Amino acid sequence: MSDLQVLKTESVQKLRRIVLATPEIIYEPFDEIADKHSLSFVQSTYSINNTVDLLMPLGVSQDQNKDSENCSRILAALPSMSPANATDERVWVTLSFGAFAEYMRERWKFRNSQEDKLPKHVLNHWFATGVRGRMRDNGISRLWWMGYIAKKVPGMSMAQVYEVLYANSDYRSTLLERNSSGNSLNVLTAVLKISQKAFDSGVPYNRESWRDFMKAVNFIGGRRNLAAMTQDSLIELLTPVYKKAYERSQKKAS
């Protein structure tokens, strides 16, 4: 276990500008990047277990990319990380270019033939600007947040939470980026349990229905303090809303 040295904020900003001009920099060793561009570091209070490695993906599908396993591994690698500290972009940029660079290059391999899209690809996955960047896009941060959530959800195993969260990327991002669910473990847990029950009963994920449901949850959350309600009360309140959203899409399809 050792303390993690992280890039200073101004160096993160400098690296972002460099990526816009030369995104291929991600293939260079981090120490060479730091020396070449005079990047500065600061000693942080974050501890990293350097003996923990992330599993290399074997493909792009959910059963091949090892995301679920790596969520648990990143928790072990960063045992002292807290949600407040996990909003620090410097950590995720440093780890993306540094300790987990090999994993990043393989997991977020650029597969588009249009080279002009590479800068945006690197900015999305190697940096972590805002909630969306942390929760969905950054290759390391997203693993930590999914692992943290899975560990905290009562009444569901981590494997069960991963199964629901990784059912679809739009499902995951819509759930975590909404204020009503993303900021309340109670609401998040209730929605996950409602979704799991629906999936298990043969009601598959539907993008339009899911988004309609989450809009309804946000609407209800603007009028009632959902975070203060018990899980059972939330499930009782939101289950009919979920069913209505899915029934509406089925009627449209028929």
Side-chain angles (χ1 to χ4, degrees):
M1 196 77 66
S2 61
D3 291 336
L4 180 66
Q5 279 198 329
V6 298
L7 287 162
K8 289 184 176 180
T9 300
E10 54 267 30
S11 287
V12 170
Q13 294 169 347
K14 180 190 286 188
L15 196 51
R16 189 179 279 112
R17 292 192 296 270
I18 293 167
V19 161
L20 281 171
T22 55
E24 299 82 5
I25 198 173
I26 60 171
Y27 302 113
E28 299 176 17
F30 191 35
D31 55 350
E32 292 182 14
I33 296 172
D35 288 342
K36 181 179 177 180
H37 298 282
S38 301
L39 301 181
S40 300
F41 296 81
V42 63
Q43 194 70 38
S44 75
T45 57
Y46 315 131
S47 297
I48 182 168
N49 185 344
N50 295 304
T51 66
V52 178
D53 294 320
L54 296 181
L55 300 177
M56 288 296 167
L58 303 176
V60 296
S61 64
Q62 185 57 46
D63 60 337
Q64 295 176 315
N65 62 29
K66 305 298 180 182
D67 279 358
S68 298
E69 297 93 327
N70 283 330
C71 286
S72 296
R73 284 179 172 250
I74 202 66
L75 291 181
L78 302 169
S80 63
M81 185 62 63
S82 69
N85 290 339
T87 63
D88 186 348
E89 184 184 21
R90 300 174 306 164
V91 179
W92 308 119
V93 176
T94 302
L95 293 174
S96 296
F97 280 90
F100 301 117
E102 185 181 358
Y103 164 82
M104 286 292 297
R105 288 191 286 264
E106 189 61 32
R107 176 63 179 87
W108 298 102
K109 188 181 293 182
F110 186 63
R111 293 179 169 85
N112 195 310
S113 59
Q114 296 175 278
E115 288 299 319
D116 61 328
K117 296 187 182 297
L118 181 56
K120 184 178 179 181
H121 176 79
V122 177
L123 288 177
N124 281 345
H125 297 299
W126 272 255
F127 293 83
T129 306
V131 175
R132 176 172 291 197
R134 292 192 297 271
M135 290 286 198
R136 189 191 71 178
D137 295 333
N138 179 271
I140 307 302
S141 175
R142 65 192 287 275
L143 296 175
W144 188 89
W145 279 104
M146 296 306 104
Y148 174 78
I149 290 167
K151 190 175 181 180
K152 289 291 183 180
V153 171
M156 291 178 73
S157 69
M158 293 179 75
Q160 288 174 320
V161 177
Y162 292 146
E163 186 177 354
V164 177
L165 281 177
Y166 283 111
N168 181 277
S169 60
D170 180 72
Y171 174 95
R172 187 169 60 252
S173 60
T174 304
L175 175 64
L176 298 175
E177 290 166 19
R178 294 273 179 177
N179 288 333
S180 54
S181 52
N183 295 330
S184 168
L185 183 61
N186 251 11
V187 179
L188 180 68
T189 299
V191 172
L192 284 169
K193 289 184 175 180
I194 291 169
S195 301
Q196 182 193 35
K197 187 173 181 179
F199 295 163
D200 289 346
S201 64
V203 179
Y205 164 82
N206 176 279
R207 185 175 186 271
E208 184 180 355
S209 302
W210 169 245
R211 291 196 166 198
D212 284 348
F213 168 65
M214 289 307 300
K215 286 177 184 175
V217 173
N218 259 19
F219 181 82
I220 296 168
R223 287 152 180 76
R224 301 180 64 172
N225 186 3
L226 298 181
M229 296 176 65
T230 65
Q231 262 184 61
D232 289 343
S233 298
L234 284 167
I235 291 172
E236 184 179 355
L237 172 67
L238 298 178
T239 296
V241 180
Y242 189 96
K243 289 180 178 178
K244 185 177 180 180
Y246 272 77
E247 286 169 359
R248 204 159 42 233
S249 70
Q250 289 171 352
K251 286 178 183 177
K252 288 180 183 178
S254 62

